[in-house]
Amino acid sequence: MDTQNPAPPTSEPPLPELMERTVTPGDLTLVIPGPGESTKTELRTSLYPSMDLTKEAVDFGLFQAINIDLMLKHHFVPVQEKDGDLLIAMADPLDVVTQDLLRVQLKRRLKFHGAPANQIAEVLKKSESGQKVLDEAGEALKVQVLREEDVDDEVLDLERLTDKDEAPIVRLVDTTIFNALQRRTSDIHMETTATGFLIKYRIDGSLYPAAEPIDKRFASPIISRIKVMSELDIAEKRKPQDGRFKLKVRGRAIDFRVSIMPTIHGEDAVIRILDKENLSEEFKSLNLDILGFSQKELKQLRRFSKEPYGMFLVTGPTGSGKTTTLYAILSEIRNPEDKLITIEDPVEYQLDGICQIPVNEKKGLTFAVGLRSILRHDPDKILVGEIRDSETAQIAIQSALTGHLVFTTVHANNTLDVIGRFQYMGVEIYNFVSALNCILAQRLVKTLCPKCKRPTEPTPQNLIDNGVDPAWATAGTFFDKAGCVDCHGTGFRGRQAIIEFMGMSDELREMLTNRAPIRDVKAAARRNGMQSLRESALEKVRMGLTTFNEINKVTFIEGA
């Protein structure tokens, strides 16, 4: 080889992707294999910026424009739009073939980022488009209908319940239910409108669209499919119908309650999801500590839940977490020395060591009938799911007066409204006040996602509009919602309880027995340490757990 006159280097044009890039020494990393590893040298590049998808706000609406099969095959996802560019996260950001394919298909400016393959897989799993092809991607979406009377757990395949021509409808309903379970949905709403058929999920108390509107002509087959699963009359379209069905999804039995309602545009359906097996796992560790109560509130709740007898009353609207709070209390106070019996409609959660009775009004087992029988079983503590009528109220009060600790719920707006509610049911006020230990009014507020919430500073006018003194904010740390993969872009994950707790004292009993004005009773309760629902909610805001907008949905602005 002629070392004196080396051959001139070959002049080649630079690669198009690298023409406008400045490569620094840190951009190239030589990976040397260790002992026992492959002797092949791997050359990695970091020419593309990296992205952490657990912290980025992924816009799932962008998934509609890209073929989901392409995303699964090449391991990439669209993230968001910025300054006219579409940001793409790729497991292999040097896959120029896929990049060119995307540029041709989308016909727009793209910017590519690197992201871990497991994060991309998680985003695809949580996206609506990704879930719709989980079956094709190898996931087991097979669901089976279980009838209540099938003692041998005989299963019926969904495909056998409808005609083959309706198979797409069957797959749509199956996928809707499966997606709902993946996204922590409590209810599935199906609504027929003048222009289309809408499917929505209720997550943490709010409704979110599950998919794009469906052509209205498919509304009737979808509702009929729900009726078939619930064993309802598919020919009846002018009367409301209620039913239930049970599915086995991936080996887990899940109960669903169905309500069909006729409207001017067709029929609507609401499906309540009761995932008892999953809840049973969660409830194994259920206690008051995980429900978001303050230390002061915990001390009060635990004190009154350990009283030897009397009535522990919880009030609030449907879906305000009353049952969850009571079960958290029962989980803490149950012990082998006491007999605990509950009567509920329905029994939503199952706890070991507790005798639980479901109401069955068709068979004559009402709250009042069941409560009478419970008293003959020598219980120490009783849970009455709800007081709905005078007879149940009278028996519950008598039980509390005769040495039993009774936990129960009633529908009322706040602690003091409960008094009027029992008077309306014809209960003697003296007996009621004598039996009553405490009243707990409760609501649920959505909690900001801890992974993506961002700091914010409320303006003085914003504080005044929400009924608080600007000086109140100096001791707080405020946050606002953002949106990430973990919370499905909503900015919220889970809910926490806000409460108004009134423990009974001799002063309060005397005032209520003498029918003192409500404002005087409220003033006396506040002297005894009662905090209003609004004050409890504002503390959650000041702690950075939720927002003013969320607490305004469940509490009144005091002084407004």
Side-chain angles (χ1 to χ4, degrees):
M1 181 176 180
D2 188 0
T3 58
Q4 301 296 325
N5 299 298
T10 304
S11 177
E12 294 183 358
L15 292 174
E17 289 293 326
L18 306 180
M19 289 182 65
E20 298 181 3
R21 295 185 180 272
T22 302
V23 182
T24 64
D27 285 332
L28 298 177
T29 304
L30 189 63
V31 180
I32 306 298
E37 297 178 348
S38 172
T39 57
K40 184 179 179 180
T41 301
E42 180 184 356
L43 188 65
R44 296 178 180 170
T45 105
S46 58
L47 296 175
Y48 293 90
S50 61
M51 176 179 288
D52 186 351
L53 293 179
T54 63
K55 299 179 181 178
E56 292 289 335
V58 179
D59 183 359
F60 288 100
L62 300 172
F63 283 64
Q64 304 298 327
I66 302 177
N67 190 301
I68 185 64
D69 295 324
L70 195 64
M71 288 190 273
L72 290 168
K73 181 179 180 181
H74 297 286
H75 304 290
F76 73 89
V77 290
V79 181
Q80 54 189 249
E81 290 183 281
K82 282 188 177 179
D83 303 324
D85 295 324
L86 179 61
L87 272 59
I88 302 289
M90 302 182 68
D92 181 9
L94 293 181
D95 184 358
V96 294
V97 175
T98 301
Q99 292 179 7
D100 291 340
L101 183 64
L102 288 176
R103 289 190 181 97
V104 172
Q105 180 175 326
L106 300 179
K107 298 178 182 179
R108 59 180 304 173
R109 294 190 310 180
L110 305 177
K111 279 191 176 181
F112 298 95
H113 294 250
N118 63 331
Q119 292 184 8
I120 291 176
E122 188 67 18
V123 173
L124 286 171
K125 177 183 175 182
K126 291 182 177 180
S127 72
E128 191 72 25
S129 301
Q131 291 175 25
K132 287 180 180 176
V133 296
L134 281 178
D135 193 14
E136 301 168 357
E139 294 289 339
L141 276 179
K142 197 72 172 179
V143 295
Q144 299 166 317
V145 172
L146 302 179
R147 297 183 184 275
E148 294 290 339
E149 61 269 20
D150 289 336
V151 294
D152 297 326
D153 284 346
E154 179 184 350
V155 296
L156 300 175
D157 187 82
L158 290 179
E159 299 291 342
R160 298 188 307 181
L161 295 179
T162 54
D163 189 83
K164 291 183 179 180
D165 293 337
E166 293 183 340
I169 300 298
V170 174
R171 288 196 297 269
L172 173 65
V173 173
D174 291 355
T175 307
T176 298
I177 293 172
F178 183 84
N179 292 350
L181 295 172
Q182 291 289 97
R183 296 180 62 176
R184 303 179 297 107
T185 301
S186 62
D187 302 86
I188 304 171
H189 289 244
M190 298 181 174
E191 303 173 0
T192 307
T193 68
T195 56
F197 187 74
L198 306 179
I199 300 177
K200 301 176 183 178
Y201 293 154
R202 186 176 292 281
I203 305 173
D204 294 333
S206 297
L207 286 174
Y208 299 96
E212 293 295 318
I214 299 170
D215 194 312
K216 188 178 179 181
R217 61 194 174 98
F218 296 114
S220 183
I222 292 172
I223 296 295
S224 294
R225 173 62 190 156
I226 300 297
K227 289 181 178 179
V228 168
M229 296 170 69
S230 309
E231 298 183 319
L232 299 177
D233 185 359
I234 61 173
E236 179 58 68
K237 298 180 182 296
R238 294 175 295 179
K239 294 180 180 179
Q241 297 188 68
D242 295 320
R244 60 179 61 202
F245 62 91
K246 183 182 291 186
L247 298 182
K248 183 172 284 187
V249 182
R250 291 182 174 177
R252 191 167 85 238
I254 302 171
D255 290 318
F256 298 82
R257 284 188 294 175
V258 177
S259 176
I260 307 292
M261 181 69 68
T263 70
I264 58 173
H265 298 296
E267 289 182 292
D268 289 5
V270 175
I271 305 173
R272 166 67 57 88
I273 300 174
L274 299 174
D275 193 350
K276 292 182 180 179
E277 292 190 22
N278 186 44
L279 287 170
S280 296
E281 290 297 318
E282 294 177 3
F283 271 55
K284 286 181 181 178
S285 60
L286 178 67
N287 56 65
L288 290 171
D289 291 316
I290 66 175
L291 299 184
F293 297 119
S294 68
Q295 289 302 314
K296 177 185 175 183
E297 293 166 346
L298 286 172
K299 185 178 179 180
Q300 291 175 317
L301 291 174
R302 287 185 170 129
R303 174 198 161 193
F304 284 95
S305 65
K306 294 176 181 177
E307 295 286 347
Y309 55 85
M311 180 179 287
F312 189 115
L313 189 59
V314 183
T315 185
T318 301
S320 60
K322 301 187 296 296
T323 304
T324 303
T325 297
L326 287 178
Y327 266 90
I329 292 173
L330 292 183
S331 297
E332 291 195 352
I333 66 173
R334 60 179 168 169
N335 64 74
E337 297 178 358
D338 292 332
K339 181 157 187 177
L340 277 68
I341 305 181
T342 75
I343 180 164
E344 308 165 68
D345 183 23
V347 176
E348 296 188 8
Y349 314 127
Q350 298 176 11
L351 286 179
D352 294 334
I354 297 178
C355 176
Q356 298 173 273
I357 303 169
V359 166
N360 189 337
E361 294 189 357
K362 291 182 180 179
K363 302 294 184 180
L365 179 55
T366 62
F367 277 112
V369 171
L371 191 49
R372 281 200 186 93
S373 297
I374 285 173
L375 294 175
R376 292 192 286 270
H377 276 250
D378 188 29
D380 296 289
K381 299 175 176 65
I382 304 168
L383 169 62
V384 182
E386 183 184 346
I387 291 180
R388 299 173 178 172
D389 54 66
S390 176
E391 187 179 9
T392 306
Q394 297 283 5
I395 301 172
I397 291 170
Q398 195 64 31
S399 303
L401 290 172
T402 54
H404 304 91
L405 183 59
V406 178
F407 297 91
T408 188
T409 72
V410 68
H411 288 292
N413 290 324
N414 54 54
T415 54
L416 296 176
D417 283 353
V418 172
I419 311 299
R421 174 76 171 153
F422 273 83
Q423 287 180 323
Y424 177 77
M425 288 190 284
V427 172
E428 174 58 46
I429 189 67
Y430 176 79
N431 289 338
F432 173 60
V433 172
S434 299
L436 190 62
N437 289 347
C438 62
I439 305 175
L440 169 67
Q442 180 170 311
R443 300 288 189 279
L444 293 178
V445 293
K446 288 194 290 186
T447 308
L448 288 166
C449 176
K451 290 193 174 181
C452 66
K453 66 179 182 180
R454 57 170 185 259
T456 186
E457 192 66 36
T459 64
Q461 186 58 46
N462 188 25
L463 293 170
I464 292 171
D465 290 343
N466 284 282
V468 294
D469 190 332
W472 169 87
T474 56
T477 304
F478 299 88
F479 288 87
D480 201 0
K481 66 176 182 178
C484 66
V485 174
D486 225 48
C487 61
H488 296 283
T490 64
F492 298 95
R493 185 169 180 83
R495 291 185 289 178
Q496 285 195 358
I498 58 170
I499 68 171
E500 178 178 286
F501 187 85
M502 185 174 76
M504 297 302 293
S505 64
D506 291 340
E507 179 187 10
L508 288 174
R509 284 192 174 95
E510 184 177 353
M511 295 180 72
L512 290 171
T513 303
N514 294 329
R515 303 182 186 272
I518 290 296
R519 63 178 180 273
D520 294 342
V521 177
K522 184 176 181 180
R526 292 182 71 85
R527 288 196 301 271
N528 288 342
M530 186 183 80
Q531 187 181 43
S532 70
L533 281 168
R534 183 68 180 183
E535 289 169 336
S536 177
L538 288 172
E539 281 303 310
K540 301 288 186 188
V541 175
R542 189 157 62 173
M543 293 167 62
L545 298 175
T546 188
T547 65
F548 283 118
N549 186 51
E550 291 306 313
I551 69 169
N552 289 341
K553 293 177 181 179
V554 295
T555 63
F556 289 104
I557 299 175
E558 294 179 352

